[in-house]
Amino acid sequence: MAEMEHKQTKTKRGFNYSYYFSAPTSGKPVLFFAHGFPCTSFLWRRQVAFFKERGYGIIALDNLGYGGSDKPTDPKLYVGRGLAEDVVDLLDAEDIKQVVAVGHDWGAYVVSRMLHYCPHRISAVALFGSGYMPADWSLNPIRQPEVVIQFFGYDVVAYQRFFVHPDAPEIIEKHVDSFISLVFPETPEQWKTSLCVKGATRAWLNDDKIMPLPSYFTQEDNEHIKSSLTSGGVAGPLCCYRALNEDFNIAEDTKLSPEAREFSQPLLFVAFNEDCVGLPAVADGSHSKYAKRPLTRKELPCDHWGILSHGQELNEMLLEWLGSL
């Protein structure tokens, strides 16, 4: 997935997106891969190689704000409906009618909004670590920490209150190596004290704290993430958190009927059982309410970055499930 292999397409909203595309062979479906924060399509390189070799079509984009895609810094431009419609424009540019959508982290959010606003473009869904994210704004977890703590026993999204602060991009960019060691923890338990405690994320970065990186996080991973953060900045990627915090999604999402918040496509969910932020129980609750067909549920003993640490196992799980469709 070298940079020269990426294509560029401008969406109807006027944004240039960078993405990797490989056409399917032998009648195989196209797999659409959506990454999360703070990665790029590079996260999916092992999946791209594995499934391309087996004839599957591939489209793996750099989300808005990341990699080779445009990086606006207005959070209103990162609302879910807009992001979903951008993906539709990319599919149209490649004459792709339907995809099997695969998402992780904020990529699961993009896939979820596609299920809301353009469900006919998705034939099946696979979500890794992060589950289906419905358009339900009865709780704003960033602004209601007391509810989060009461429900989960700790402040699962404390770090997001730092991410939405105006000085967050500057602090992160000033302490990139510290940020990388924060986001890619040596042990899953590290996040309980560095991300899930009020003020801990800001303190970690201001102290320029650096811990050993996990064994699965290669030098290639490190160099790519660091290059992406230093060349493109963090203000764009943080806009999804700001849009959530400032309720910019509500205007469109509240127009959805209850039926539009549900989905009937086949679902594969792979829980990452040691992730203390992307909690499997949250995903399970969402799926039991909104997924209207039986789902396939798998699990792995890994932290948030199971795509990196257990890539081969995920590939085999996804391949087996695709064969059952």
Side-chain angles (χ1 to χ4, degrees):
M1 287 179 62
E3 193 66 30
M4 69 180 65
E5 297 178 286
H6 277 63
K7 302 180 70 171
Q8 289 273 340
T9 289
K10 178 173 283 191
T11 68
K12 293 175 183 175
R13 294 202 298 159
F15 300 125
N16 285 305
Y17 271 79
S18 175
Y19 59 98
Y20 176 87
F21 176 68
S22 177
T25 60
S26 306
K28 293 287 180 67
V30 175
L31 308 182
F32 166 72
F33 291 98
H35 67 83
F37 179 85
C39 303
T40 69
S41 56
F42 187 75
L43 173 75
W44 298 108
R45 66 191 184 280
R46 295 182 181 90
Q47 285 67 47
V48 167
F50 181 89
F51 286 99
K52 179 181 178 180
E53 185 179 77
R54 287 157 178 79
Y56 288 87
I58 305 289
I59 183 164
L61 83 165
D62 291 340
N63 288 345
L64 191 68
Y66 297 83
S69 296
D70 282 350
K71 301 170 181 63
T73 56
D74 180 354
K76 293 179 181 177
L77 300 173
Y78 289 78
V79 295
R81 180 167 188 166
L83 297 177
E85 291 175 348
D86 286 345
V87 175
V88 169
D89 292 341
L90 302 184
L91 301 184
D92 287 345
E94 300 297 343
D95 196 27
I96 299 170
K97 304 305 181 187
Q98 279 194 322
V99 295
V100 176
V102 185
H104 170 256
D105 193 85
W106 277 106
Y109 174 78
V110 174
V111 170
S112 298
R113 289 305 176 272
M114 290 177 68
L115 287 168
H116 287 141
Y117 291 108
C118 47
H120 58 290
R121 306 305 292 265
I122 296 180
S123 61
V125 186
L127 299 174
F128 295 160
S130 307
Y132 174 70
M133 301 180 186
D136 179 356
W137 303 112
S138 57
L139 169 68
N140 187 314
I142 299 178
R143 297 207 305 266
Q144 296 174 268
E146 67 286 348
V147 178
V148 174
I149 293 170
Q150 181 179 10
F151 193 82
F152 297 108
Y154 63 98
D155 196 352
V156 178
V157 297
Y159 66 98
Q160 295 187 17
R161 289 181 208 102
F162 166 70
F163 282 177
V164 301
H165 198 277
D167 66 354
E170 179 182 359
I171 293 173
I172 292 172
E173 291 164 14
K174 184 178 179 180
H175 302 281
V176 170
D177 289 321
S178 176
F179 178 72
I180 290 173
S181 102
L182 169 74
V183 174
F184 297 93
E186 182 181 23
T187 64
E189 296 78 17
Q190 179 180 305
W191 272 10
K192 278 283 189 77
T193 56
S194 61
L195 294 187
C196 302
V197 175
K198 180 181 179 180
T201 300
R202 178 182 291 273
W204 177 291
L205 295 169
N206 281 333
D207 291 343
D208 206 30
K209 187 173 183 178
I210 297 176
M211 296 288 285
L213 294 167
S215 58
Y216 61 76
F217 193 70
T218 67
Q219 184 64 30
E220 187 180 25
D221 292 320
N222 195 351
E223 290 173 357
H224 181 85
I225 292 289
K226 186 172 183 178
S227 174
S228 176
L229 294 174
T230 54
S231 63
V234 189
L238 290 178
C239 279
C240 280
Y241 296 99
R242 293 176 59 199
L244 173 63
N245 181 56
E246 298 174 45
D247 292 330
F248 290 142
N249 290 281
I250 288 181
E252 290 296 331
D253 287 353
T254 53
K255 299 175 186 177
L256 289 165
S257 67
E259 293 76 20
R261 299 165 197 261
E262 301 171 348
F263 65 97
S264 58
Q265 288 86 343
L267 169 65
L268 168 66
F269 172 61
V270 183
F272 295 168
N273 283 345
E274 297 176 12
D275 186 349
C276 63
V277 170
L279 299 173
V282 174
D284 291 338
S286 174
H287 300 156
S288 67
K289 183 175 181 179
Y290 295 102
K292 297 307 172 183
R293 286 186 60 179
L295 67 87
T296 301
R297 189 188 189 280
K298 304 285 187 178
E299 55 187 49
L300 287 169
C302 61
D303 67 9
H304 189 74
W305 302 108
I307 294 167
L308 296 176
S309 63
H310 291 69
Q312 185 59 35
E313 291 95 325
L314 278 174
N315 287 345
E316 296 293 346
M317 288 177 179
L318 183 55
L319 181 65
E320 179 183 12
W321 174 71
L322 289 168
S324 72
L325 298 178

